[in-house]
Amino acid sequence: MHRPNLDEFELIARYLAPLARGESGAFGLLDDAAILDIVPGQRLVATADALIEGVHFFPGDPPELIGRKLLRVNLSDLAAMGAVPFAYLLTMALRDEATADWVEAFARGLGVDQKIFSVTLIGGDTTATNGPIALSATALGYVSLNGGLRRSGARAGDRVFVSGTIGDGAMGLKVLTKKLRGLGKDDRDYLKHRFRLPEPRVALGQRLQGIASAAIDVSDGLAGDLGHICVASGVGAVIEVARVPLSAAARHAVGTDPQLLETVVAGGDDYEMLFMAPADRTDEIVTVASESGVPVTEIGSVEIGQGVTLLGKDGSPIELESHGYKHF
Ligand SMILES: [Mg+2]
């Protein structure tokens, strides 16, 4: 039997139980499961996402940021559904050499984001592994009976929108793996930060209910995730690549290497909202974007047909080598 050096019960009591104080039904993580009151007139929204060492983060990455990213990638999926997040479960598989310092910093990161996003830890599991560190969170949220956003509602004639800027996450990964050179330090730091600490668009997702016809969060890459919407909705979509919003750092990178536009369109890890809405809802989207404090940009349209077409500056189609995100 394989046992970690850190005592499991002490680890829970010292680092995780304090994260569960906000929910009485979590019983201080001392019981076998949490018991939660269900709000009448609401439906539960549940999602799970894992981060694996060597796949989604590097062995030496700051544990505080790993904790925050784990929570945020899950909150991004709730945002894509228009849900209000309230709780999450956490499963950790740690190696023998895991230190109290690592777990403390990881839990501190979770605590910071619990405050920002109003969520509470309500349970989970801690276990030992001989392999890479494996971390999984299950996030819970709610939507009203007629609320929520889905991938399947896009219709021909709808406009296509994205929040924030696209390509920073994938470029940040390239910086971290030394595959993107020739940028100044500020740009490199900005892109790395965007990869390590995405911004789930929780408030925007909630406000888009009743306005957006379909939505998804950009985790696999803009083209790939738009492709998922097209399949679910039975439509095609056209993106004008020149309209895709870029950060200053990403613009600098594309300026030195135009090939990086492929990373913008096909790279992953942006965790921005990609959504569609009928053209006559554009004014409402402008309002919702400003209320949420998140820039939103129109980048294309939904059409009869299938698949994603990328148009270059001159209006002619661009071919991509890959449409999805590959992990490092
Ligand atoms: Mg998603």
Side-chain angles (χ1 to χ4, degrees):
M1 191 64 199
H2 189 74
R3 294 192 62 82
N5 290 336
L6 283 171
D7 179 76
E8 181 184 351
F9 298 102
E10 193 187 323
L11 183 156
I12 293 169
R14 184 177 283 190
Y15 303 115
L16 301 180
L19 297 173
R21 277 192 198 123
E23 170 55 62
S24 60
F27 309 120
L29 305 181
L30 294 168
D31 231 303
D32 292 295
I35 300 181
L36 306 174
D37 292 326
I38 302 295
V39 183
Q42 305 286 323
R43 289 185 297 169
L44 188 65
V45 183
T47 186
D49 228 330
L51 298 183
I52 310 298
E53 181 187 40
V55 180
H56 304 95
F57 64 91
F58 297 99
D61 279 356
E64 186 165 347
L65 293 182
I66 297 170
R68 297 179 75 183
K69 183 163 181 177
L70 176 66
L71 200 44
R72 285 171 179 231
V73 297
N74 279 279
L75 294 175
S76 182
D77 277 330
L78 290 185
M81 304 298 287
V84 179
F86 69 93
Y88 69 101
L89 298 109
L90 169 70
T91 298
M92 321 170 64
L94 301 176
R95 279 190 300 273
D96 273 357
E97 65 264 30
T99 63
D101 284 350
W102 193 96
V103 178
E104 194 207 347
F106 176 80
R108 195 188 321 123
L110 291 174
V112 168
D113 273 356
Q114 284 195 191
K115 285 210 183 71
I116 293 173
F117 296 103
S118 302
V119 293
T120 307
L121 178 66
I122 58 162
D125 191 21
T126 57
T127 181
T129 179
N130 292 318
I133 298 172
L135 307 161
S136 174
T138 299
L140 304 178
Y142 58 83
V143 293
S144 66
L145 286 183
N146 300 314
L149 297 169
R150 299 283 312 280
R151 296 180 179 183
S152 53
R155 296 292 172 260
D158 285 357
R159 314 305 300 170
V160 177
F161 301 86
V162 284
S163 66
T165 56
I166 299 297
D168 297 331
M171 285 195 201
L173 177 57
K174 278 186 186 283
V175 172
L176 284 164
T177 52
K178 311 235 182 315
K179 288 176 185 152
L180 203 170
R181 295 164 195 274
L183 280 181
K185 185 177 185 306
D186 286 353
D187 287 341
R188 288 199 311 269
D189 287 349
Y190 177 81
L191 295 171
K192 282 193 283 190
H193 187 74
R194 288 274 288 160
F195 173 76
R196 285 175 162 165
L197 200 65
E199 287 293 336
R201 302 306 189 182
V202 176
L204 177 65
Q206 288 164 34
R207 286 188 163 94
L208 285 172
Q209 294 176 97
I211 300 172
S213 55
I216 191 170
D217 65 321
V218 182
S219 54
D220 295 339
L222 182 64
D225 285 315
L226 184 54
H228 296 323
I229 293 249
C230 288
V231 169
S233 297
V235 295
V238 176
I239 296 178
E240 295 169 54
V241 174
R243 299 178 78 176
V244 175
L246 302 184
S247 66
R251 263 201 319 276
H252 297 157
V254 171
T256 57
D257 179 5
Q259 282 283 85
L260 284 170
L261 261 187
E262 173 139 355
T263 302
V264 170
V265 177
D269 263 304
D270 288 310
Y271 299 100
E272 294 292 349
M273 287 281 288
L274 169 65
F275 60 95
M276 291 82 229
D280 61 4
R281 311 300 296 268
T282 304
D283 287 352
E284 290 165 87
I285 288 166
V286 170
T287 303
V288 155
S290 91
E291 283 171 0
S292 314
V294 182
V296 166
T297 308
E298 185 181 324
I299 59 167
S301 57
V302 179
E303 308 204 326
I304 295 169
Q306 56 183 17
V308 176
T309 305
L310 305 169
L311 296 182
K313 271 213 174 80
D314 60 356
S316 61
I318 300 172
E319 287 297 325
L320 278 191
E321 280 178 24
S322 64
H323 263 243
Y325 179 56
K326 303 262 189 317
H327 288 285
F328 51 88

